[in-house]
């Protein structure tokens, strides 16, 4: 059993390798794109809607509520990014039920790429909400002395996101591999189910942390409200 998709080599030419991480990552992206097209191709704007569309709208409204609770006032703006992060990590765990599949999130390169996406998204949304000057000014708050510490914090939390997700996903695969060698078959099945649940929790935590970082970057200073003249 491969603990990491990096160990699965499908094609190699010199220094170029096509490993499981690349193949499974692109497969997940194709599934996400195809699934979104199939799910949304027959949506209706009329009052009479299918039960499937009603369920889909309930899920979307629930996600909007979660994003709003993070402090983001326009949840539709961030739903595409945060929802994609959640679905990618969640499907990577769900597909472990397929024989021969190894989740790409068990590779440090994949989790680093996901963390870098968050690193880029935070200043992107922050600048869009506050402008370049307002966002850069937040690095020097409350005093200019905090500038290097805020920059280090930005980089360290990106590293923490990558290592946390990698460690949690890799630990599940390692436990299953150990149990396969010393226990009957039923115990690894139970651990696979537990690993699936853990993967869903990690997907939720990863997207929530990304939302928290974006909320901190987009939160501007509150302006005093002027009293209305009589």
């Amino acid at each position: 059993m491969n603990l990491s998709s990096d160990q699965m080599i499908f094609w190699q030419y010199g220094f170029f390798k096509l490993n499981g991480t690349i193949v499974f990552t692109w497969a997940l992206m194709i599934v996400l794109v195809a699934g979104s097209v199939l799910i949304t191709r027959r949506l209706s704007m009329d009052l009479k809607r299918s039960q499937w569309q009603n369920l889909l709208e309930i899920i979307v409204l629930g996600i909007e509520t979660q994003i709003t609770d993070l402090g983001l006032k326009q949840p539709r703006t961030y739903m595409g990014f945060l929802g994609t992060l959640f679905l990618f990590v969640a499907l990577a765990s769900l597909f472990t039920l397929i024989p021969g599949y190894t989740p790409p999130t068990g590779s440090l390169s994949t989790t680093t790429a996901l963390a870098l996406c968050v690193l880029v998204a935070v200043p992107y949304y922050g600048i869009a909400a506050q402008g370049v000057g307002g966002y850069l000014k937040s690095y020097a708050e409350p005093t200019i002395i905090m500038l290097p510490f805020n920059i280090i914090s930005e980089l360290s939390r990106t590293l923490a996101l990558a290592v946390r997700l990698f460690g949690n996903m890799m630990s599940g695969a390692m436990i299953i591999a150990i149990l396969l060698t010393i226990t009957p078959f039923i115990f690894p099945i139970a651990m696979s189910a537990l690993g699936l649940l853990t993967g869903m929790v990690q997907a939720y935590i990863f997207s929530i942390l990304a939302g928290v970082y974006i909320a901190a970057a987009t939160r501007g200073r509150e302006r005093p409200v002027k009293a209305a003249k009589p």
Side-chain angles (χ1 to χ4, degrees):
M1 179 179 180
N2 294 315
L3 296 180
S4 174
S5 52
D6 291 336
Q7 300 174 355
M8 304 176 64
I9 306 298
F10 293 98
W11 177 81
Q12 182 175 357
Y13 182 78
F15 294 101
F16 299 96
K17 295 181 180 180
L18 184 64
N19 56 24
T21 300
I22 299 175
V23 172
F24 294 140
T25 298
W26 277 95
L28 281 175
M29 292 190 294
I30 293 174
V31 170
L32 287 173
V33 173
S36 62
V37 172
L38 292 175
I39 291 174
T40 59
R41 63 175 180 171
R42 293 183 179 179
L43 297 181
S44 174
M45 299 295 293
D46 300 330
L47 295 178
K48 185 178 180 181
R49 303 175 182 180
S50 64
Q51 295 181 351
W52 171 253
Q53 183 172 343
N54 289 331
L55 176 61
L56 184 62
E57 291 181 358
I58 291 173
I59 295 174
V60 172
L61 290 175
I63 296 175
E64 286 186 357
T65 302
Q66 289 283 322
I67 296 176
T68 304
D69 292 340
L70 295 176
L72 298 170
K73 298 180 180 180
Q74 298 178 347
R76 292 292 179 93
T77 304
Y78 315 98
M79 182 178 295
F81 176 70
L82 297 177
T84 301
L85 285 180
F86 174 81
L87 289 175
F88 183 87
V89 179
L91 285 180
S93 301
L94 181 62
F95 286 173
T96 54
L97 300 176
I98 301 176
Y101 171 85
T102 303
T105 47
S107 169
L108 187 58
S109 58
T110 302
T111 58
T112 301
L114 293 174
L116 289 176
C117 289
V118 178
L119 178 64
V120 173
V122 169
Y124 172 79
Y125 289 115
I127 293 174
Q130 302 186 65
V132 177
Y135 176 74
L136 294 179
K137 189 183 296 182
S138 64
Y139 281 94
E141 293 179 349
T143 64
I144 191 63
I145 300 176
M146 295 301 298
L147 177 61
F149 298 100
N150 288 330
I151 295 176
I152 294 174
S153 174
E154 192 85 11
L155 299 176
S156 63
R157 73 186 184 188
T158 302
L159 178 62
L161 275 176
V163 174
R164 181 190 295 111
L165 182 61
F166 167 74
N168 289 324
M169 301 302 293
M170 175 62 74
S171 61
M174 185 175 299
I175 291 175
I176 294 174
I178 295 174
L179 289 176
L180 279 172
T181 60
I182 61 176
T183 62
F185 187 67
I186 189 172
F187 291 102
I189 293 179
M191 291 303 301
S192 297
L194 181 60
L196 177 60
L197 176 61
T198 303
M200 295 298 173
V201 172
Q202 292 303 318
Y204 177 77
I205 293 176
F206 191 88
S207 57
I208 287 295
L209 287 176
V212 170
Y213 297 153
I214 293 174
T218 56
R219 185 172 60 247
R221 294 182 176 179
E222 296 182 359
R223 298 178 180 178
V225 179
K226 296 182 180 180
K229 295 182 179 180

